[in-house]
Amino acid sequence: MIDAQRRGKAMKIKKKRPLDSSGDSRNRSAARARKALVVLGMHRSGTSALAGLMMRLGGDGPANLLGPTANNELGHFESRPIYMLQDKVLASAGLTWDDYRPFPQVG
């Protein structure tokens, strides 16, 4: 890209087409170029802030965000279905998100 600019050639920027599941060959190279970043961490460790920053920098966030609450007016940048799944897993062991006890061993 820099070499073409140095030679004074006009550069055309193509917009990315949305990916579809039809197997369209035009979208295969775009599908390979996509990357997924997953933010994992302990509660109250800045994971939501990091995910929010990544979204502000142009990344796509979860389709179903938790959204703002009275304790966090800017919003939680986590997936609501994953949050609910984590709560169900903890509840199945008799635990909650703020429980200090270790997860019980099975078997």
Side-chain angles (χ1 to χ4, degrees):
M1 182 171 156
I2 295 173
D3 289 337
Q5 287 175 344
R6 286 181 186 157
R7 287 185 238 131
K9 293 183 179 179
M11 300 292 295
K12 291 184 180 180
I13 299 173
K14 293 181 181 180
K15 291 186 178 181
K16 290 184 181 178
R17 296 179 189 181
L19 297 177
D20 61 21
S21 59
S22 68
D24 187 341
S25 63
R26 294 172 293 173
N27 289 331
R28 287 185 187 153
S29 62
R32 286 187 208 115
R34 292 187 64 133
K35 303 274 189 233
L37 298 175
V38 178
V39 178
L40 300 173
M42 295 292 295
H43 175 71
R44 305 294 303 164
S45 65
T47 53
S48 185
L50 179 59
L53 175 65
M54 291 168 54
M55 289 170 59
R56 285 185 180 259
L57 292 173
D60 293 330
N64 300 308
L65 289 174
L66 279 174
T69 63
N71 294 329
N72 187 344
E73 295 176 4
L74 295 177
H76 299 272
F77 300 97
E78 292 121 28
S79 167
R80 178 174 292 284
I82 291 175
Y83 171 82
M84 293 170 68
L85 174 64
Q86 292 170 349
D87 272 357
K88 286 180 183 179
V89 169
L90 289 170
S92 73
L95 302 171
T96 60
W97 69 266
D98 59 349
D99 206 321
Y100 60 89
R101 296 173 293 164
F103 204 83
Q105 297 294 321
V106 178

